[in-house]
Amino acid sequence: MFKLQREKFADPRVRQAIGLMFNFEWSNETLFFGLYDRINSFWDNSELKAEGTPTEGELALLQPLVDEGLLPAAILSETVVMAPTSTTRQLDRSNLRLASALLDDAGWEVGDDGMRRNAAGDTLDVEFLERSAAFDRIINPYVENLKALGVNASLNRIDPAQYTNRERAKDFDIVIGNFRVGYEPGGELRQPFGSESAVESLFNTMTLQSTAVDRLIDIIEALEDKGELIIAVQALDRVLRAERFWVPQWFKAVHTVSYLDIFDHPEPLPPFALGQLDFWWVNPEKEAAMKAAGKL
């Protein structure tokens, strides 16, 4: 997640260019045994995620925001923002060219030393702040790709106490985090996405301040019909993704579990929870058969 209040990240083309250099496909194949899928939506793997171009219901919510100048008109017709795709070579040359063009257009041109500089001569410095050594193998190749783009990128891994202090003070360029959004969201969306929480809330890590987002949260909070809620959340998802304040990482669409074949559970299971500690039960016949076979 970018700290949007950093002047160097104010232009969405800069954020898009930096995002292009994270190679999920290479990471997934090389580091994760192909276990993950790329995340695109804040409500991925659910009916709440925005897809394609806006539906009629979404347009009814987005058009007034466009009319007021709170959103660009393109959001009414363009396909929802998706995470970029890469080849399984660490440095994707096609994305490198796209990112290079975006930074050129944003005023960050390559100097004689190969570094990206703005009109004032400042280099484009990007620091990844991290506290876990487990992410070194993921971020370091990303840093290498950004350096190939001419970005002065670095990984700064500090101890957890320092990290907590800097995160609370919003003293960072980019940090790793996640957004815990609900399946039936409401007013709790103000914490991670509301303008008022940009300064004081730990959940609005990227310091997002958007009147359009605030308006959509107001609408979602007041709704009582599930169908209307789905449409409104899809509209919000579309707007949030258009802000490009994150570099989407990955998720796993299924639970992978191993258990003794002595349990039963209701069908169907909840969409996003196994419930093994809450409503699974031991089947006495299965338990007896496993004991008889000497497996329990």
Side-chain angles (χ1 to χ4, degrees), residues 12-142:
R13 292 172 295 186
V14 173
R15 305 196 296 272
Q16 183 180 357
I18 292 172
L20 279 164
M21 302 314 295
F22 173 62
N23 190 329
F24 165 75
E25 285 74 16
W26 177 86
S27 300
N28 196 35
E29 180 181 271
T30 307
L31 306 175
F32 306 144
F33 305 97
L35 290 174
Y36 296 108
D37 295 315
R38 188 77 188 266
I39 195 165
N40 285 289
S41 164
F42 295 92
W43 284 271
D44 224 320
N45 199 34
S46 82
E47 61 190 351
L48 299 173
K49 70 176 180 180
E51 297 186 272
T53 55
T55 62
E56 287 188 16
E58 288 180 75
L59 289 172
L61 297 173
L62 297 173
Q63 185 68 62
L65 301 175
V66 171
D67 293 342
E68 290 186 50
L70 300 176
L71 289 174
I75 202 165
L76 301 176
S77 57
E78 291 184 351
T79 301
V80 67
V81 171
M82 302 288 287
T85 57
S86 304
T87 63
T88 52
R89 295 184 62 180
Q90 180 185 320
L91 181 61
D92 184 294
R93 293 289 177 179
S94 178
N95 283 345
L96 178 64
R97 289 191 291 270
L98 290 172
S100 181
L102 286 165
L103 290 183
D104 287 343
D105 291 343
W108 293 94
E109 298 183 351
V110 179
D112 294 336
D113 58 358
M115 303 298 293
R116 294 274 172 181
R117 297 180 185 274
N118 60 14
D122 301 320
T123 57
L124 179 52
D125 301 335
V126 175
E127 180 190 75
F128 293 84
L129 192 67
E130 186 48 64
R131 59 188 167 187
S132 170
F135 271 86
D136 286 6
R137 63 183 184 142
I138 300 162
I139 298 176
N140 280 327
Y142 190 7

Side-chain angles (χ1 to χ4, degrees), residues 46 63 113 115 144 148 152 158 169 171 175 183 204 209 211 227 275 284:
S46 82
Q63 185 68 62
D113 58 358
M115 303 298 293
E144 291 178 16
N152 184 28
I158 57 180
D171 179 19
V175 292
Y183 191 46
N204 190 342
Q209 291 182 300
T211 303

Side-chain angles (χ1 to χ4, degrees), residues 49-268:
K49 70 176 180 180
E51 297 186 272
T53 55
T55 62
E56 287 188 16
E58 288 180 75
L59 289 172
L61 297 173
L62 297 173
Q63 185 68 62
L65 301 175
V66 171
D67 293 342
E68 290 186 50
L70 300 176
L71 289 174
I75 202 165
L76 301 176
S77 57
E78 291 184 351
T79 301
V80 67
V81 171
M82 302 288 287
T85 57
S86 304
T87 63
T88 52
R89 295 184 62 180
Q90 180 185 320
L91 181 61
D92 184 294
R93 293 289 177 179
S94 178
N95 283 345
L96 178 64
R97 289 191 291 270
L98 290 172
S100 181
L102 286 165
L103 290 183
D104 287 343
D105 291 343
W108 293 94
E109 298 183 351
V110 179
D112 294 336
D113 58 358
M115 303 298 293
R116 294 274 172 181
R117 297 180 185 274
N118 60 14
D122 301 320
T123 57
L124 179 52
D125 301 335
V126 175
E127 180 190 75
F128 293 84
L129 192 67
E130 186 48 64
R131 59 188 167 187
S132 170
F135 271 86
D136 286 6
R137 63 183 184 142
I138 300 162
I139 298 176
N140 280 327
Y142 190 7
V143 167
E144 291 178 16
N145 288 350
L146 286 168
K147 287 182 176 179
L149 181 62
V151 175
N152 184 28
S154 62
L155 166 61
N156 183 11
R157 177 156 48 82
I158 57 180
D159 66 64
Q162 286 180 301
Y163 183 92
T164 298
N165 286 336
R166 287 189 60 177
E167 185 180 35
R168 288 176 177 175
K170 304 293 177 72
D171 179 19
F172 58 81
D173 288 340
I174 299 177
V175 292
I176 293 174
N178 55 38
F179 298 95
R180 299 185 181 276
V181 292
Y183 191 46
E184 293 186 352
E188 75 276 5
L189 293 171
R190 298 186 188 282
Q191 284 278 5
F193 305 124
S195 294
E196 292 184 2
S197 67
V199 177
E200 67 272 10
S201 174
L202 295 178
F203 299 100
N204 190 342
T205 307
M206 60 288 174
T207 62
L208 174 67
Q209 291 182 300
S210 166
T211 303
V213 169
D214 295 339
R215 295 274 189 87
L216 288 171
I217 293 174
D218 289 340
I219 292 170
I220 290 169
E221 189 175 18
L223 289 174
E224 297 181 358
D225 179 82
K226 181 63 181 290
E228 293 178 357
L229 177 67
I230 291 172
I231 293 171
V233 176
Q234 290 170 343
L236 176 62
D237 184 44
R238 186 177 302 276
V239 171
L240 291 173
R241 288 156 67 176
E243 290 284 349
R244 298 185 186 276
F245 55 71
W246 66 338
V247 179
Q249 291 188 331
W250 55 83
F251 78 107
K252 196 173 183 187
V254 297
H255 294 286
T256 304
V257 295
S258 176
Y259 59 92
L260 291 171
D261 188 21
I262 62 172
F263 299 100
D264 284 340
H265 56 73
E267 294 286 2

